[in-house]
């Protein structure tokens, strides 16, 4: 959406036409919300903006066919190393020499993904934040193999889609999640020890630190399964790091399929 709205030609690839229809509808709805604010007094200009943006967007279920004519591939599929590697390996064979590959992963190492291709110098991380149309930040990740030219192209692209890029080395969680995930886990441990209630912890962090959401609200929003997946991955990388220690309570909730907002219950219940 943000790439198409900023004048880029975009092909959205997914596994089925059904998913793509749903995605396109979601983008249309999102654009309507954006135009309501952006073109409050000019509905005609708003309608034109939506039409223009949607013209820049086509869909496909065949990534290999599409990649022949792309300058930049941004992968945002399931957070699974093997599945991502498989996709990149396949696309690497068909993409032009100049094409840059980027991953939107929040927890996997970019270097390991780049190693599944022959274009390690044209590979980096572009970590957008949810919800992407609203959030200004993009983390641009440079691996030891990423060329300066590639890095600059990724920074320029981030600015061209209206975002504020920051750069980081290929370290677990990059900047935001490296600080945020251990903080959320520490909140769970504080609650597990019985030192404070989850409600009081949430209120304290909102009113005391000015955070828009408390750690338990945020965990439910992100998804407890996603949070567990991240911490388990980091724990296997650094088993002796106490910040990355798993939480029995988090594990129990995930086992009970209480994954947060998306399932109607996590640390809190949702109607």
């Amino acid at each position: 959406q943000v790439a198409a709205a900023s004048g880029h030609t975009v092909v959205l690839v997914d596994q089925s036409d059904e998913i793509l229809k749903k995605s396109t509808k979601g983008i249309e709805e999102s654009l309507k919300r954006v135009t309501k604010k952006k073109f409050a007094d000019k509905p005609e200009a708003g309608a034109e903006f939506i039409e223009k943006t949607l013209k820049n967007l086509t869909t496909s279920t065949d990534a290999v066919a599409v990649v022949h004519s792309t300058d930049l591939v941004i992968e945002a599929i399931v957070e699974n190393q093997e599945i991502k590697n498989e996709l990149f390996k396949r696309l690497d064979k068909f993409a032009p020499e100049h094409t840059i590959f980027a991953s939107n992963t929040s927890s996997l190492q970019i270097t390991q993904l780049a190693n599944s291709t022959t274009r390690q110098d044209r590979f980096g991380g572009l970590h957008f934040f949810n919800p992407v149309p609203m959030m200004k930040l993009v983390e641009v990740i440079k691996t030891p193999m990423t060329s300066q030219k590639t890095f600059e192209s990724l920074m320029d692209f981030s600015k061209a889609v209206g975002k504020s890029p920051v750069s980081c080395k290929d370290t677990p969680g990059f900047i935001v999640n490296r600080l945020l995930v251990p903080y959320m886990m520490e909140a769970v441990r504080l609650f597990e020890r019985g030192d404070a209630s989850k409600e009081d912890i949430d209120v304290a962090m909102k009113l005391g630190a000015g955070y828009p959401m408390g750690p338990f609200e945020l965990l439910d929003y992100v998804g407890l399964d996603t949070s567990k997946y991240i911490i388990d991955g980091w724990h296997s990388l650094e088993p002796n790091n106490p910040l990355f220690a798993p939480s029995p309570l988090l594990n129990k909730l995930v086992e009970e399929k209480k994954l947060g907002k998306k399932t109607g219950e996590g640390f809190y219940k949702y109607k």
Side-chain angles (χ1 to χ4, degrees):
Q1 180 187 324
V2 295
S6 52
H8 297 83
T9 307
V10 180
V11 186
L12 177 63
V13 179
D14 217 314
Q15 292 175 308
S16 72
D17 288 322
E18 200 185 332
I19 296 170
L20 287 165
K21 273 195 193 110
K22 208 173 155 189
S23 304
T24 311
K25 198 172 185 302
I27 288 171
E28 264 185 74
E29 294 303 316
S30 178
L31 284 167
K32 281 177 192 163
R33 284 195 297 275
V34 170
T35 49
K36 257 186 191 160
K37 282 181 188 167
K38 206 173 166 185
F39 301 97
D41 324 330
K42 306 178 201 151
E44 297 88 2
E48 197 185 321
F49 169 73
I50 292 175
E51 193 188 338
K52 214 169 160 186
T53 300
L54 292 173
K55 264 193 188 147
N56 288 333
L57 186 70
T58 51
T59 61
S60 172
T61 53
D62 187 351
V64 163
V66 167
V67 87
H68 285 290
S69 56
T70 46
D71 299 313
L72 173 64
V73 172
I74 302 175
E75 166 277 317
I77 66 170
V78 63
E79 278 289 85
N80 178 303
Q81 184 86 47
E82 281 168 37
I83 298 173
K84 285 186 195 286
N85 281 353
E86 220 170 275
L87 176 71
F88 279 127
K89 205 175 189 171
R90 198 164 86 237
L91 297 184
D92 188 42
K93 291 190 182 91
F94 298 96
E97 184 94 354
H98 73 277
T99 307
I100 293 172
F101 282 8
S103 176
N104 180 54
T105 181
S106 59
S107 65
L108 300 173
Q109 281 193 303
I110 302 293
T111 305
Q112 288 190 327
L113 296 172
N115 283 341
S116 65
T117 72
T118 56
R119 61 184 76 221
Q120 287 100 329
D121 57 326
R122 284 148 290 153
F123 203 115
L126 270 184
H127 183 219
F128 289 83
F129 286 77
N130 251 338
V132 178
M134 311 296 293
M135 300 288 270
K136 290 294 281 184
L137 185 69
V138 178
E139 289 176 326
V140 180
I141 314 307
K142 189 180 184 194
T143 77
M145 297 100 70
T146 309
S147 73
Q148 189 57 26
K149 189 183 171 198
T150 297
F151 173 69
E152 282 165 16
S153 297
L154 292 173
M155 291 293 277
D156 291 344
F157 172 75
S158 303
K159 288 173 192 162
V161 297
K163 300 301 175 195
S164 302
V166 294
S167 98
C168 183
K169 287 183 179 171
D170 190 16
T171 178
F174 316 134
I175 297 173
V176 174
N177 282 330
R178 182 65 176 78
L179 297 173
L180 192 61
V181 174
Y183 146 73
M184 293 194 296
M185 294 302 290
E186 275 300 293
V188 176
R189 290 180 196 115
L190 191 68
F191 173 54
E192 276 178 319
R193 290 194 300 269
D195 295 340
S197 71
K198 53 184 188 285
E199 292 81 5
D200 282 355
I201 295 169
D202 277 352
V203 169
M205 292 313 291
K206 284 191 285 191
L207 302 186
Y211 287 8
M213 281 182 185
F216 293 97
E217 292 170 318
L218 189 55
L219 280 159
D220 278 354
Y221 178 76
V222 168
L224 305 194
D225 50 341
T226 306
S227 307
K228 173 179 155 52
Y229 181 84
I230 293 170
I231 210 72
D232 286 352
W234 294 357
H235 180 62
S236 64
L237 282 177
E238 295 182 34
N240 300 323
N241 189 333
L243 290 175
F244 298 165
S247 147
L249 177 59
L250 184 64
N251 291 348
K252 180 175 175 282
L253 288 169
V254 171
E255 217 170 279
E256 292 168 355
K257 300 277 187 285
K258 293 173 181 170
L259 309 180
K261 266 195 139 163
K262 59 185 169 188
T263 58
E265 187 177 350
F267 284 103
Y268 296 112
K269 283 187 174 151
Y270 303 88
K271 283 192 180 84

